[in-house]
Amino acid sequence: KNEVEQSPQNLTAQEGEFITINCSYSVGISALHWLQQHPGGGIVSLFMLSSGKKKHGRLIATINIQEKHSSLHITASHPRDSAVYICAVLTFNNQFYFGTGTSLTVIP
Amino acid sequence: NAGVTQTPKFQVLKTGQSMTLQCAQDMNHNSMYWYRQDPGMGLRLIYYSASEGTTDKGEVPNGYNVSRLNKREFSLRLESAAPSQTSVYFCASSERWYGYTFGSGTRLTVV
């Protein structure tokens, strides 16, 4: 049983396409994070959300607390967006649960 | 630069050897974490420390011990390394509403 499910597991897109990565979770949360991991391993936190929507450049993250669902959107995708995107949720008792990640490849 | 510093970046151990992975953060975060990342399994929590002086087991604590030496430092010790502990280890720190920062990882191979 996985508390956090991401889809798709793998995604290939042409440069310029609009991309959506989905995250569903089954536990009560105080916050949700979207993380980015590039080849070579470093992990960067992109967003932390507890409600609504956040935007940073070409990245947009939304969360629906009632439906226990979050999406990460990338507009005008670029090859440098190629990475693994990980959804992580923080529960009210300070436990983190992670999705297994979505591997995105953007082809020029 | 502010952040989470992990050492070493790479390590090869023989089965049965011991070692300590070091982690330090300079962001004054209360919470610190150790994770392992294995192919197809995502990040799994080994131990975490919600604040200085406290540590708690995560999902996969067996074979590991931790020490929260002070607010800045959180070390992970393998007393008797096993091949099943071959993995990439990440340290992270967080402050509930102010983000979540990862170290650059330690790639450990146990032969």
Side-chain angles (χ1 to χ4, degrees):
Chain A
K1 171 181 169 294
N2 202 353
E3 288 80 0
V4 180
E5 299 281 355
Q6 283 185 239
S7 63
Q9 284 191 313
N10 296 286
L11 181 56
T12 301
Q14 290 291 132
E15 183 173 356
E17 284 185 4
F18 180 84
I19 288 163
T20 296
I21 299 170
N22 295 299
C23 174
S24 296
Y25 52 91
S26 59
V27 293
I29 69 167
S30 60
L32 181 144
H33 294 258
W34 281 102
L35 310 172
Q36 181 191 55
Q37 185 173 26
H38 276 284
I43 300 174
V44 175
S45 177
L46 297 174
F47 293 103
M48 182 174 67
L49 295 162
S50 56
S51 65
K53 176 179 172 178
K54 284 191 176 179
K55 184 175 189 291
H56 182 69
R58 295 180 294 104
L59 302 178
I60 303 166
T62 64
I63 188 168
N64 185 317
I65 295 292
Q66 286 73 30
E67 294 186 4
K68 295 189 172 179
H69 182 268
S70 175
S71 293
L72 177 68
H73 305 285
I74 305 175
T75 61
S77 59
H78 190 276
R80 65 175 173 266
D81 297 326
S82 298
V84 175
Y85 292 84
I86 302 168
C87 174
V89 299
L90 175 65
T91 65
F92 291 106
N93 61 349
N94 267 339
Q95 292 275 12
F96 269 105
Y97 294 99
F98 294 86
T100 53
T102 294
S103 179
L104 171 66
T105 303
V106 181
I107 300 169
Chain B
N1 288 339
V4 177
T5 303
Q6 266 184 257
T7 56
K9 291 194 187 307
F10 300 95
Q11 184 72 49
V12 179
L13 290 178
K14 293 183 179 177
T15 298
Q17 284 186 317
S18 63
M19 78 161 295
T20 300
L21 281 65
Q22 307 286 353
C23 177
Q25 53 94 5
D26 58 5
M27 296 168 289
N28 207 36
H29 287 171
N30 277 306
S31 299
M32 296 186 74
Y33 311 83
W34 276 106
Y35 296 95
R36 60 179 288 172
Q37 187 179 41
D38 301 294
M41 301 195 72
L43 286 156
R44 292 185 293 168
L45 182 64
I46 304 170
Y47 272 93
Y48 69 101
S49 170
S51 61
E52 184 180 354
T54 68
T55 60
D56 287 285
K57 294 179 180 179
E59 184 183 351
V60 288
N62 291 344
Y64 305 95
N65 285 301
V66 290
S67 296
R68 183 75 183 268
L69 303 168
N70 47 55
K71 193 170 185 179
R72 289 187 64 248
E73 298 172 289
F74 189 40
S75 61
L76 178 72
R77 183 158 178 86
L78 286 71
E79 290 291 352
S80 179
S84 61
Q85 293 178 305
T86 293
S87 188
V88 181
Y89 292 85
F90 287 95
C91 177
S93 70
S94 76
E95 197 64 39
R96 181 182 284 265
W97 302 115
Y98 300 107
Y100 192 27
T101 304
F102 283 83
S104 56
T106 297
R107 192 170 294 272
L108 175 67
T109 303
V110 183
V111 298

